[in-house]
Amino acid sequence: MSSRIEYLSPEGLRVDGRRPHEIRNIKFKLNLFSRADGSAYYEQGNTRVLAAVYGPREVKNKSQMKNDRAIINCEYSMATFSTGERKRQFKRDRRSTEISVVIRQTFESVILTHLYPRTQIDIFMQVLQADGGTRCACINAATLALLDAGIPMKDFVVSCAAGFIEGSPLTDLNYIEDCADGPDVPIALLPKQDKVTLLQMDSKLSLDQFEKVLEHAIDGCKQIHKVIDEQLKKHTYSLVNKRGLFSA
């Protein structure tokens, strides 16, 4: 009996029952930590992350201070219990450092840092459960935490990855699909401007394949933005309504 995983069934369904272009279910909560200026808990499928924002606040290292803008610090980490592997994980391993830099560069281009000169904004993200797409989930959680903190941005930042497995482009890979060793293309999108602000690729793709995968990743970002935007509007309406501003 073959133990080979069927990533796409003859009916066009993936291992978790989704169609190739479909994203996983999204849930989130805001304002979790009283000491943070903004915070968010974010779920995308079985991937679960936390994000907390502190600032704008006084720059700790004066040599890094910018007179014309705020500096952005980002820290991405994975909890030791977030994966099935129980090996010791160091707080600042190479992968976490690289992802932290990528996320910092993404938000530096979006946050209106010129409004807060000589300050710093710190973004902390931790993966609680990893089931694929952790960096994308952290970017989405960080966006929500920044919104919760009231820090102005040029646009939403939404992130999604797409891959190419067994000749088919797939949107929002889960862990099993991510382990298929196919090309993986995570991106971050500014949906209102329709502008890609982050794009990474960890293996080679032909131009035709790349265009298909990129199209799926962009569509995934737009789906995520739609879900988050709708839920944020409901959240805001609920808060305002509780304060009686909509009462007759």
Side-chain angles (χ1 to χ4, degrees):
M1 181 181 293
S2 174
S3 60
R4 184 174 179 273
I5 297 175
E6 185 181 62
Y7 294 101
L8 199 63
S9 72
E11 293 77 23
L13 298 177
R14 296 155 68 175
V15 290
D16 55 8
R18 288 182 290 150
R19 297 288 182 183
H21 67 281
E22 290 179 338
I23 62 171
R24 293 171 289 177
N25 291 330
I26 293 171
K27 298 178 183 178
F28 64 85
K29 296 179 181 179
L30 303 178
N31 195 23
L32 301 171
F33 308 124
S34 58
R35 293 187 178 181
D37 293 292
S39 55
Y41 167 79
Y42 182 85
E43 288 184 12
Q44 192 157 332
N46 292 322
T47 293
R48 299 169 183 176
V49 303
L50 285 172
V53 171
Y54 297 85
R57 58 185 179 179
E58 184 180 355
V59 178
K60 294 180 179 179
N61 187 345
K62 298 299 183 182
S63 64
Q64 296 179 343
M65 186 171 66
K66 303 293 183 182
N67 291 322
D68 60 340
R69 60 182 174 85
I71 60 173
I72 308 296
N73 296 315
C74 288
E75 184 176 303
Y76 166 99
S77 64
M78 297 185 68
T80 54
F81 52 81
S82 62
T83 67
E85 299 179 1
R86 289 296 177 262
K87 64 182 181 180
R88 184 180 179 186
Q89 293 187 15
F90 296 94
K91 186 177 179 182
R92 299 296 290 173
D93 59 34
R94 181 178 177 181
R95 180 175 182 271
S96 295
T97 300
E98 290 176 350
I99 293 176
S100 298
V101 170
V102 166
I103 295 176
R104 173 178 59 78
Q105 292 172 341
T106 300
F107 283 104
E108 279 179 339
S109 65
V110 180
I111 295 173
L112 301 181
T113 55
H114 67 279
L115 298 178
Y116 306 104
R118 299 180 296 279
T119 65
Q120 71 180 49
I121 298 171
D122 301 319
I123 306 172
F124 297 93
M125 299 148 289
Q126 184 170 54
V127 179
L128 302 178
Q129 184 169 313
D131 186 32
T134 57
R135 79 186 65 187
C136 296
C138 281
I139 289 173
N140 295 332
T143 295
L144 290 167
L146 287 164
L147 291 171
D148 187 45
I151 294 176
M153 297 183 285
K154 296 176 183 176
D155 197 351
F156 244 87
V157 185
V158 286
S159 182
C160 185
F164 197 80
I165 302 175
E166 296 181 347
S168 297
L170 302 178
T171 304
D172 188 19
L173 305 183
N174 61 28
Y175 178 76
I176 293 175
E177 294 167 336
D178 205 23
C179 291
D181 294 328
D184 179 30
V185 181
I187 72 166
L189 182 75
L190 307 183
K192 292 181 181 178
Q193 301 180 31
D194 201 22
K195 178 181 178 182
V196 174
T197 186
L198 164 69
L199 190 151
Q200 293 181 296
M201 188 165 62
D202 57 7
S203 57
K204 293 182 179 179
L205 274 171
S206 69
L207 182 59
D208 181 58
Q209 293 171 343
F210 173 75
E211 288 177 348
K212 292 178 180 178
V213 172
L214 180 60
E215 183 180 341
H216 272 248
I218 291 174
D219 181 66
C221 286
K222 291 180 178 180
Q223 291 182 59
I224 292 170
H225 174 247
K226 182 179 179 181
V227 172
I228 291 177
D229 189 49
E230 289 177 352
Q231 291 189 28
L232 276 176
K233 287 177 180 177
K234 290 180 181 178
H235 173 75
T236 304
Y237 180 87
S238 177
L239 288 177
V240 174
N241 199 31
K242 284 180 180 178
R243 295 174 182 174
L245 298 184
F246 286 152
S247 59

